[in-house]
Amino acid sequence: MTTGATTTGARLAGTTEQLRRANLSRTLEVLHQRGPTSRSDLTRTLGLSRSTMAAVVADLEALGLVTETQPAATSRAGRPSGLVRPADDVVAIAVNPEVDAVHVGVVGLHGRVLEHTRIEVPDTRMSTIVPLATAAIRGMLADDPPRYRVVGIGLAIPGQVRISDGVIRQATHLGWTEEPIADLFVEATGLRTWAANAATLAMRAESQFGAGQGVQDLVYFIGGASGIGGGAIVGGRLLTGDGGYAGEFGHTVVRPDGRACHCGGTGCLEAEVDQATLLRAVGLEAAQADELPARLVASDDPAVADLVEEKSSLLAIAVRNALNTLNPEAVVLSGFLAALHRASGRDLTAGAVASARERVELRDAALGVEQLMIGAGELVFGELLRDPVLLATPVLA
């Protein structure tokens, strides 16, 4: 009987601890999504009792993940509710290597980009990229006393990444194959590191904080210096495929007898439609890519108009294929693809099956140049939100 009672007690204790950690996770997730929220609103949203909510907030404060501001006294009846906000100093480091530069940023909870720097690179060798990014990270963390509590590093890679161990299977534009990039950053910085496909992370950011908020069926296209990527959310769930490599819209064939692509095929969207060609057409450098939308729209050069017409018609083929295959509620365009669409004025849904396009909305990405930083941060914060107790104690460089 004693052994049975002990076993039952251990089971109940385990269940209680699991419930506590689940409540911590749910509460931090709401704060990460909404930002500062009153304790009374949290109580209603999560369906918890006032005493349980008070205990949850106290636990999160003790972990250093939230702060609660007590409101000023009012003449209203009842006790005023405190405002709970995500801690300002809990951050993720975001790294996004491209063919011409590596971007490094500091991202706070609730999708706040606190710092962002772009470092031009002489080449894309791993032995160049990792030290340059590491030096930038150490510079951002050089304050004494430390300004940030770093949960980890998120790597947004323009290529196929095995999420389970952060190994790059193939990033053709960068010349990387089977590179253990997450392990390399752990060795260089001492920080926990996760890696995933850049387009998938950008879509995750837009879904959480930008143009895709509340959309259950979403298709996302992004164009940048390292090519075209994409992703899809189906029924509110990220479409991953068997190995996590789904959503490669950049390799939709839009011209079967077209140009050779880095992937080994021909006529892929990213082989036929690229940022560098559009930048050259309007006299811009790679570092001026954010000026491309305005330049394309303002141009009165017939050659530019012809180029926009040709490239937008190819983009329309890829969008049409995505509509017919996935029947999304919204299509979000990002990077130079949004600029191309805006300059062309083309209806990218034309030619799709009528029932697949009748309700779809085409939207520009809302987070601009920060979406990859936010997305890489989400890769880290996703781990924190799953179990705040496990990851609340940061590892600092």
Side-chain angles (χ1 to χ4, degrees):
M1 289 296 293
T2 302
T3 302
T6 302
T7 302
T8 300
R11 187 183 300 117
L12 289 173
T15 302
T16 300
E17 175 61 14
Q18 289 169 2
L19 181 59
R20 182 183 80 90
R21 290 169 81 148
N23 286 336
L24 294 177
S25 175
R26 292 168 62 211
T27 301
L28 189 60
E29 187 173 348
V30 170
L31 291 168
H32 179 53
Q33 173 69 50
R34 296 184 182 178
T37 307
S38 71
R39 195 201 292 183
S40 59
D41 283 345
L42 287 172
T43 301
R44 284 191 293 271
T45 298
L46 297 170
L48 301 175
S49 68
R50 291 174 62 181
S51 60
T52 299
M53 193 75 254
V56 168
V57 171
D59 282 350
L60 289 172
E61 279 192 296
L63 291 169
L65 296 174
V66 307
T67 59
E68 184 174 17
T69 305
Q70 296 303 322
T74 69
S75 58
R76 292 184 177 182
R79 179 182 299 175
S81 179
L83 188 67
V84 184
R85 64 179 66 243
D88 290 333
D89 62 343
V90 174
V91 302
I93 300 297
V95 179
N96 168 228
E98 294 278 7
V99 294
D100 55 353
V102 58
H103 295 259
V104 181
V106 177
V107 184
L109 288 163
H110 190 46
R112 297 171 300 117
V113 178
L114 307 176
E115 298 186 38
H116 182 179
T117 185
R118 179 183 184 275
I119 307 155
E120 294 197 7
V121 295
D123 58 72
T124 60
R125 290 178 299 173
M126 198 68 68
S127 59
T128 299
I129 298 296
V130 175
L132 281 175
T134 299
I137 291 168
R138 293 193 179 280
M140 291 173 171
L141 304 181
D143 297 288
D144 188 16
R147 184 163 39 134
Y148 301 124
R149 297 173 59 216
V150 184
V151 180
I153 299 175
L155 305 175
I157 306 299
Q160 295 182 331
V161 181
R162 189 166 59 217
I163 297 175
S164 61
D165 57 6
V167 170
I168 298 172
R169 303 302 309 280
Q170 191 174 40
T172 52
H173 289 274
L174 298 172
W176 297 346
T177 302
E178 301 298 335
E179 292 281 2
I181 193 167
D183 286 346
L184 293 175
F185 270 89
V186 171
E187 293 171 7
T189 67
L191 291 163
R192 291 169 292 212
T193 303
W194 295 268
N197 174 263
T200 299
L201 294 179
M203 179 182 68
R204 185 169 170 179
E206 288 290 340
S207 177
Q208 183 86 344
F209 301 109
Q213 285 188 78
V215 178
Q216 294 296 299
D217 290 274
L218 174 73
V219 164
Y220 176 83
F221 286 80
I222 181 172
S226 297
I228 293 174
I233 294 173
V234 178
R237 298 174 64 88
L238 177 67
L239 184 66
T240 60
D242 178 52
Y245 312 128
E248 287 287 353
F249 293 124
H251 297 289
T252 297
V253 177
V254 295
R255 186 175 276 162
D257 58 349
R259 300 175 184 174
C261 181
H262 285 83
C263 73
T266 56
C268 294
L269 178 64
E270 76 167 33
E272 298 292 335
V273 181
D274 65 289
Q275 177 173 281
T277 298
L278 293 171
L279 289 172
R280 284 195 300 271
V282 292
L284 293 175
E285 301 293 332
Q288 300 171 295
D290 58 340
E291 299 177 32
L292 183 60
R295 286 288 188 94
L296 286 177
V297 170
S299 176
D300 57 2
D301 184 342
V304 171
D306 289 345
L307 183 67
V308 167
E309 173 67 18
E310 177 200 354
K311 303 304 183 185
S312 65
S313 70
L314 298 173
L315 174 60
I317 294 172
V319 171
R320 184 173 70 223
N321 288 339
L323 294 180
N324 289 341
T325 304
L326 297 171
N327 184 209
E329 175 185 346
V331 174
V332 174
L333 299 174
S334 184
F336 78 83
L337 296 181
L340 180 62
H341 177 228
R342 196 177 312 160
S344 72
R346 179 186 292 275
D347 178 6
L348 298 179
T349 72
V353 174
S355 55
R357 63 182 171 85
E358 62 186 359
R359 296 200 305 167
V360 70
E361 291 184 23
L362 261 64
R363 305 176 182 176
D364 284 354
L367 301 178
V369 297
E370 304 296 8
Q371 62 186 275
L372 283 167
M373 295 291 96
I374 296 170
E378 285 299 285
L379 189 59
V380 176
F381 290 137
E383 299 293 331
L384 176 65
L385 297 177
R386 270 188 278 279
D387 193 343
V389 174
L390 182 64
L391 286 184
T393 304
V395 178
L396 296 178

